[in-house]
Amino acid sequence: MVTALRGAPAGTTAIRFDIAGTTHELPVGTSHAGDFAGTRLVFTMSKDNDLAWIREWASWHNRIQGADSVVFFDNGSSRYSTGEIEETLLSTGGLKHVCVLDWRGRYGQTDPALRINPFYILFLQVSAMSVALRRFASGAFGLMNCDIDELISSPAGTSAFELAQASRHGLLVMRGRFMEPVPEAGEPGHRTHRHYLQMFRDSRRSLSRPKKWVLDPTRRWVQNNLSVHPYMHWVENRPWFGKETAEGVYYRHF
């Protein structure tokens, strides 16, 4: 849920509210939408993933998809600091903007009592989705979400960002293909995505069913409706028939 408060006095630094007899106070954050305007932004949430895999993930989307900005939600990693994550991302050499957020808290769990949407209580990631869209990407050329073990692929000469931009409603979705855990080379402990190249020829055996998406956040239906909300595998309150697929676009799921 996103709540808009109108008429707040200039210089407001926090918002206090009461829920069920408890009082909470939230500081007013800074909008970075201007900094990321026009960029091709990819974001993720991660905890203690290997820095080499993080670097490879960022490098792939920079080189192959043209992503030039990263927003990284770190869920309380203990293996390294947020500064080391930032250094790792910047070491790819092709990113204009990098923001690493210290996003601690319990990730949550699915609700087995709900068949339609058992993911609604994954509050930490769901709220991160809203922050990525509204605080960082509202003026971006495109917004892409995928995990560290997912790399988005598209036919040569194209990018998922451009295909989303060219779609009718600015929303491109895709399914994935599992990469088999059979290393081509490299020493254990030093392998990253590039050492795993095999997938089943039979697309039914390799299918990773959950959908990933790429969104054009500047579309009017996104800008003018705060009930539009991205989830891990869909975008809530999108227009009817608002999503499109494109031939040859999929994500590699390691």
Side-chain angles (χ1 to χ4, degrees), residues 151-226:
L151 303 180
I152 292 180
S153 295
S154 56
T158 69
S159 79
F161 287 108
E162 293 168 345
L163 293 170
Q165 185 74 214
S167 67
R168 181 179 180 186
H169 292 287
L171 177 59
L172 182 74
V173 300
M174 70 206 78
R175 296 194 189 277
R177 297 188 69 181
F178 283 112
M179 308 302 296
E180 294 303 310
V182 180
E184 293 286 314
E187 294 296 323
H190 297 281
R191 298 176 184 138
T192 63
H193 311 71
R194 67 178 62 204
H195 295 107
Y196 299 92
L197 305 176
Q198 297 186 36
M199 65 179 76
F200 280 111
R201 189 187 304 273
D202 183 349
S203 60
R204 292 171 297 180
R205 295 186 69 185
S206 67
L207 177 66
S208 179
R209 191 170 297 278
K211 294 180 179 178
K212 308 301 290 189
W213 49 263
V214 183
L215 175 68
D216 173 6
T218 65
R219 296 299 175 100
R220 184 175 299 178
W221 64 269
V222 181
Q223 293 279 325
N224 295 345
N225 185 0
L226 290 179

Side-chain angles (χ1 to χ4, degrees), residues 40-189:
R40 302 175 185 222
L41 195 160
V42 58
F43 76 99
T44 195
M45 179 176 287
S46 170
K47 181 177 181 178
D48 283 330
N49 280 296
D50 194 290
L51 289 174
W53 279 72
I54 291 173
R55 187 185 190 283
E56 189 72 24
W57 171 88
S59 179
W60 169 278
H61 290 109
N62 173 243
R63 292 182 294 106
I64 305 300
Q65 295 300 328
D68 55 12
S69 297
V70 171
V71 172
F72 194 101
F73 295 88
D74 182 62
N75 185 208
S77 292
S78 60
R79 297 176 60 189
Y80 38 69
S81 67
T82 54
E84 289 175 277
I85 300 173
E86 183 176 356
E87 290 176 8
T88 298
L89 293 170
L90 290 173
S91 71
T92 61
L95 297 173
K96 295 179 181 177
H97 301 285
V98 169
C99 183
V100 180
L101 298 170
D102 188 356
W103 207 251
R104 298 172 184 269
R106 292 184 181 275
Y107 183 82
Q109 63 184 36
T110 56
D111 186 345
L114 288 181
R115 292 185 178 182
I116 296 178
N117 182 10
F119 307 102
Y120 86 99
I121 52 174
L122 298 180
F123 297 131
L124 199 75
Q125 187 166 18
V126 170
S127 60
M129 295 272 174
S130 178
V131 169
L133 173 61
R134 302 297 178 181
R135 184 169 290 184
F136 289 91
S138 62
F141 178 85
L143 178 65
M144 172 189 293
N145 172 252
C146 52
D147 297 333
I148 298 301
D149 65 344
E150 296 167 342
L151 303 180
I152 292 180
S153 295
S154 56
T158 69
S159 79
F161 287 108
E162 293 168 345
L163 293 170
Q165 185 74 214
S167 67
R168 181 179 180 186
H169 292 287
L171 177 59
L172 182 74
V173 300
M174 70 206 78
R175 296 194 189 277
R177 297 188 69 181
F178 283 112
M179 308 302 296
E180 294 303 310
V182 180
E184 293 286 314
E187 294 296 323

